[in-house]
Amino acid sequence: MKINSFSLRHLSMPLVAPFETSFGRETQRECILVTLNADGLTGYGECVASREPGYNYETTGTAWHILKDFIAPLLLGQDVTDALDFQRRVERIRGHHLAKAGVEMALWDLLGKRDGKSLREMFGGVREKVEVGVSIGIQETASALVRTVESYLAQGYRRVKIKIKPGREVEETTAVRKAFPDLRLQVDANSAYTLETAAVLKPLDDLNLLLIEQPLFEDDIWDHRKLQAQFKTAICLDESIVTPRHARYAVEMKACRNINIKPARVGGLSQGILIHDYCRERNLPVWCGGMLETGVGRASNLAIASLPGYVLPGDISASDRYYHRDITNEHFVLNADSTITVPDKAGLGVTIDEDALKEFTLASITLSR
Ligand code: OSB
Ligand code: MG
């Protein structure tokens, strides 16, 4: 498809509740909406880089720079045939996966709209609705956390992930497990421990957790291998897996027993699908992570999570868990069976609420030729 314009919008959206992780606390979520025009069609993509480099090194600022100064010039006026063609064109840009993934998403939206196919159809997804859970930030106290978990259970979520950090893990996780003995429960440390300090996590190994996500440094697959050998609970990698190669390293090293696939972190949906395929051939369960996406990124996550290897519930909650007002006209709701329905219209299957977009836009730029 011949790309004739490339636009960026830097958005800042108030979250319904602050989201606190081991790397910081967010009350506003920033992201960049990427818009591509080609052959009379418009495609949207979400770049999920945050304001601060806490999850990984990218920020909305670095992503804006890479998108505007390096990715846009490689695409404008070019006939980009598919996602792998896009990946070849941006191969010379090292890293900056969140930036690349935002554009690849917009390209998929364009391709789907051209062919009258949903992303799920294009990917070969096998489910019309996907199992989801909720990711809960660090709360004031263990009892406040138990109350927060309870309120999400009342809304119908049947899988809960709690964020942990040093000193805020054993009491919290134990309290939730005591209050809800049968809950499908998992924890996420966002790289807050070392192999040595992770010894405090040992009591969690007896709480029948689904998994322990990314306890150690993001660039350290080797120490995760050592930790996994000490734990009966599955270690899950998020930050450490940034390419399909890293998935292979982790699997060959036995550094984890499952992987959180965020298409953004690995540079785009095409790369997420490659990791899914690799893991599926080896019977390694995967699930879809989240980055507090707007309706645009949420639609994309739901589509990839419809692939058969996504056997664990995703961090894909209903729109109202994140925002009072979203930028899509479509709002995702939780079904009674703790699932969310995968969009079935062409492309991402969502439309943009232009008024909402205006309300949240900090800056915008359009490049064309
Ligand atoms: O590590 O999974 C993570 C949000 C921002 C950055 C990192 C993470 C998260 C989440 C939220 O856990 C998941 C969601 O979008 O609901
Ligand atoms: Mg995580």
Side-chain angles (χ1 to χ4, degrees), residues 247 251 258-259 261 274-286 309:
V251 170
N258 65 63
I259 292 178
I261 302 180
L274 289 174
I275 295 176
H276 161 274
D277 296 348
Y278 174 83
C279 292
R280 187 158 184 249
E281 279 163 26
R282 286 155 187 82
N283 282 318
L284 193 92
V286 303

Side-chain angles (χ1 to χ4, degrees), residues 194-334:
T194 64
L195 191 55
E196 291 72 35
T197 62
V200 299
L201 298 175
K202 207 71 234 251
L204 271 54
D205 208 20
D206 295 317
L207 296 179
N208 189 26
L209 303 179
L210 283 175
L211 55 94
I212 298 173
E213 183 176 344
Q214 195 69 39
L216 311 180
F217 287 123
E218 73 278 10
D219 60 356
D220 196 340
I221 296 177
W222 179 245
D223 276 358
H224 277 104
R225 176 212 153 83
K226 294 188 186 170
L227 195 71
Q228 179 65 88
Q230 300 167 18
F231 276 69
K232 36 183 205 281
T233 309
I235 301 289
C236 168
L237 291 178
D238 172 351
E239 284 92 325
S240 291
I241 307 300
V242 291
T243 67
R245 274 183 299 106
H246 289 75
R248 178 172 64 76
Y249 302 154
V251 170
E252 289 182 356
M253 276 190 231
K254 299 187 167 61
C256 62
R257 292 215 294 268
N258 65 63
I259 292 178
N260 164 341
I261 302 180
K262 290 179 183 168
R265 191 193 62 228
V266 299
L269 287 156
S270 62
Q271 306 305 295
I273 295 169
L274 289 174
I275 295 176
H276 161 274
D277 296 348
Y278 174 83
C279 292
R280 187 158 184 249
E281 279 163 26
R282 286 155 187 82
N283 282 318
L284 193 92
V286 303
W287 55 285
C288 185
M291 293 289 285
L292 313 176
E293 283 85 352
T294 71
V296 173
R298 193 161 315 287
S300 165
N301 282 344
L302 287 164
I304 196 169
S306 72
L307 288 170
Y310 282 79
V311 295
L312 291 165
D315 276 349
I316 314 173
S317 309
S319 309
D320 68 2
R321 177 257 174 273
Y322 307 94
Y323 305 107
H324 291 299
R325 188 173 195 195
D326 204 339
I327 60 165
T328 52
N329 292 309
E330 297 73 16
H331 295 274
F332 294 98
V333 294
L334 190 69

Side-chain angles (χ1 to χ4, degrees), residues 132-136 152 157 159-162 314-317 321:
V132 303
V134 62
S135 170
I136 303 177
Y152 283 117
Y157 291 101
R159 190 233 66 187
V160 167
K161 162 167 134 182
I162 59 179
D315 276 349
I316 314 173
S317 309
R321 177 257 174 273

Side-chain angles (χ1 to χ4, degrees), residues 3 5-9 33-37 42-45 102 106 352 357 367:
I3 310 295
S5 95
F6 183 111
S7 318
L8 302 175
R9 264 174 192 268
L33 183 71
V34 178
T35 308
L36 298 180
N37 285 297
T42 303
Y44 297 98
I352 298 294
L357 209 54
L367 304 160

